[in-house]
Amino acid sequence: MIERFPTVTVVDHPLVQHKLTLLRERATSTASFRQIAREISLLLCYEVTRDLPLTEVEIDTPLERTRAPQLAGKKLCFVPILRAGNGILDGMLEAVPSARVGHIGLYRDPKTLAPVEYYLKLPEDVRERLVIVVDPMLATGHSLAAGVTRLKQAGAAQIKVVCLIAAPEGLAVFTAEHPDVPVFLAAIDRELDSHGYIRPGLGDAGDRLYGTK
Ligand code: URA
């Protein structure tokens, strides 16, 4: 927990920090970037699901009948914010293969700068699931905040967010708008620059994942 941002957890596990450094390195190839994004998101998934409720069930081991823990209730729903969010979805699904996946697409209107939704598809029972929104870069915080507002309107009642890197400015915007939504990150960087990039950051996450420019 960060004093300035009480709803934010920075995952300081050495493997997460090491992999994040590899992602930041400009010489990291597209193929490696994709692979490392997958690995780091699996580790972040482990942290964001740490407090999932368990229930006890009766099972038969090869030797005897016993009681053992299993996840309680409906499984999760991951919601990547298109397009870069897809780059940290696969690692999450490796950790929780039975999760449902929703998608949300937003773009910024060039005139008003307001986020505009162009795509939304969620499971029908989204209100009964823990929704984990994934987006690698929390930059201005406006589209993530708009995406979470939209998910709440669609009925999502329990929401968490996983990002790789946040700018302090964007975290301030997001946490002010959604103080009820825990955020899990690998790092909070120094600042947002005048072009909307996080510094030192890792560049454009979507471009690095998909080899576009
Ligand atoms: N989106 C990115 O992909 N990178 C940034 O630095 C900011 C927003």
Side-chain angles (χ1 to χ4, degrees):
M1 201 246 275
I2 310 296
E3 213 173 303
R4 182 175 164 205
F5 301 115
T7 52
V8 174
T9 301
V10 174
V11 180
D12 59 1
H13 191 288
L15 286 176
V16 170
Q17 294 305 312
H18 178 82
K19 288 175 194 299
L20 182 61
T21 300
L22 296 174
L23 288 180
R24 291 184 189 278
E25 170 60 58
R26 80 181 303 159
T28 297
S29 69
T30 299
S32 299
F33 192 95
R34 230 178 258 154
Q35 173 60 29
I36 298 160
R38 188 184 186 113
E39 293 166 6
I40 199 170
S41 55
L42 192 151
L43 297 170
L44 293 174
C45 187
Y46 180 82
E47 286 298 330
V48 73
T49 53
R50 182 176 282 281
D51 62 354
L52 285 184
L54 291 170
T55 184
E56 279 216 331
V57 290
E58 287 232 336
I59 56 161
D60 294 306
T61 76
L63 298 176
E64 62 179 56
R65 194 153 184 80
T66 188
R67 294 182 71 76
Q70 98 176 357
L71 289 174
K74 292 239 177 181
K75 301 296 184 296
L76 315 183
C77 176
F78 296 124
V79 179
I81 301 209
L82 300 175
R83 90 187 141 138
N86 274 346
I88 56 170
L89 172 65
D90 286 351
M92 302 266 162
L93 284 171
E94 260 171 55
V96 190
S98 58
R100 300 294 185 267
V101 179
H103 290 90
I104 184 160
L106 300 162
Y107 71 90
R108 187 166 291 273
D109 183 292
K111 285 202 186 104
T112 65
L113 298 183
V116 181
E117 176 187 311
Y118 66 87
Y119 189 79
L120 181 74
K121 185 87 180 175
L122 300 172
E124 268 178 16
D125 58 359
V126 71
R127 65 188 63 239
E128 294 160 47
R129 294 175 184 271
L130 166 63
V131 174
I132 299 181
V133 181
V134 300
D135 195 8
M137 308 301 274
L138 197 170
T140 64
H142 292 301
S143 14
L144 183 62
V148 168
T149 299
R150 188 66 188 86
L151 291 171
K152 287 179 176 174
Q153 287 165 354
Q158 207 199 342
I159 304 177
K160 294 185 184 190
V161 164
V162 172
C163 302
L164 298 180
I165 303 179
E169 298 88 336
L171 263 189
V173 167
F174 182 81
T175 56
E177 221 165 299
H178 296 289
D180 55 324
V181 175
V183 179
F184 288 72
L185 301 164
I188 302 175
D189 273 9
R190 190 182 65 245
E191 63 183 356
L192 197 63
D193 73 14
S194 56
H195 302 287
Y197 280 96
I198 299 173
R199 298 289 184 125
L202 51 71
D204 186 301
D207 283 349
R208 296 203 61 194
L209 278 163
Y210 301 117
T212 48
K213 200 73 190 93

